[in-house]
Amino acid sequence: MRSLLVLLLLPLCACGSLSSSRDLRNARYVVTLNTQVVFGGETARCLNDSLELRADTLYRFAFADIAFIERPPNQMGRWVFGGLGLPLGALLGGITGLAIVSGDTESNPKAFIYGIVTGAIAGTVAGVALWERIDSDRLNVSTIPIPERKSRIESFIK
């Protein structure tokens, strides 16, 4: 049974889908091929009719084989926007908690505390989601006309 599993997983490792999938969150560029195999890398450059992606190894893909090129959001921005969302969400949650108890925290002090905690969590999640929306970008290579592909890809990866 174990040898059967190895035989099934070996082609995936050779394609790079398993070896590169753990590094996709830290990759600066993520290339998805038409066969749905995904590669991640730190640097990319265009050659004549292909894209060269460098990670631990060097990959080269023909433009016709590429479905998407993505730039995932960087990790530092997630921390910054999540950190900014935490106090803002706590403030709004506290105000909402006070509004629920009509300004009288003695009658139900837990509503104020629950509002702060819930607001802080929601603010952090919203800040991270906002950063991912702002900083990520995706280029659909397969829909670009063939004569324009090289110039559009070069402008995307710079």
Side-chain angles (χ1 to χ4, degrees):
M1 183 67 173
R2 189 177 303 166
S3 60
L4 179 64
L5 184 63
V6 169
L7 287 175
L8 291 174
L9 292 178
L10 189 60
L12 291 176
C13 290
C15 291
S17 61
L18 287 181
S19 62
S20 64
S21 63
R22 65 174 176 248
D23 298 325
L24 292 180
R25 289 188 62 85
N26 298 325
R28 185 171 177 198
Y29 300 106
V30 177
V31 176
T32 304
L33 301 179
N34 292 329
T35 59
Q36 301 304 316
V37 178
V38 181
F39 295 89
E42 290 302 312
T43 60
R45 68 180 183 144
C46 287
L47 299 174
N48 294 333
D49 60 345
S50 63
L51 176 74
E52 188 176 89
L53 183 69
R54 183 176 298 274
D56 294 335
T57 59
L58 181 68
Y59 303 108
R60 188 170 287 158
F61 311 107
F63 292 150
D65 294 337
I66 300 173
F68 303 104
I69 302 173
E70 297 177 76
R71 285 189 305 233
N74 66 20
Q75 297 296 324
M76 184 54 92
R78 286 184 178 138
W79 285 100
V80 170
F81 270 61
L84 291 173
L86 182 109
L88 185 62
L91 177 68
L92 292 176
I95 291 170
T96 304
L98 279 176
I100 289 172
V101 295
S102 301
D104 183 21
T105 57
E106 292 178 7
S107 64
N108 194 358
K110 290 183 181 180
F112 179 64
I113 301 299
Y114 289 151
I116 290 174
V117 171
T118 305
I121 292 170
T124 303
V125 170
V128 170
L130 178 65
W131 175 251
E132 289 183 2
R133 187 78 162 155
I134 291 171
D135 195 43
S136 64
D137 200 5
R138 183 179 200 175
L139 179 67
N140 190 347
V141 177
S142 60
T143 61
I144 300 172
I146 294 171
E148 298 176 16
R149 282 186 184 171
K150 183 177 180 183
S151 62
R152 294 276 301 275
I153 291 173
E154 282 178 339
S155 65
F156 183 79
I157 62 175
K158 295 207 181 209

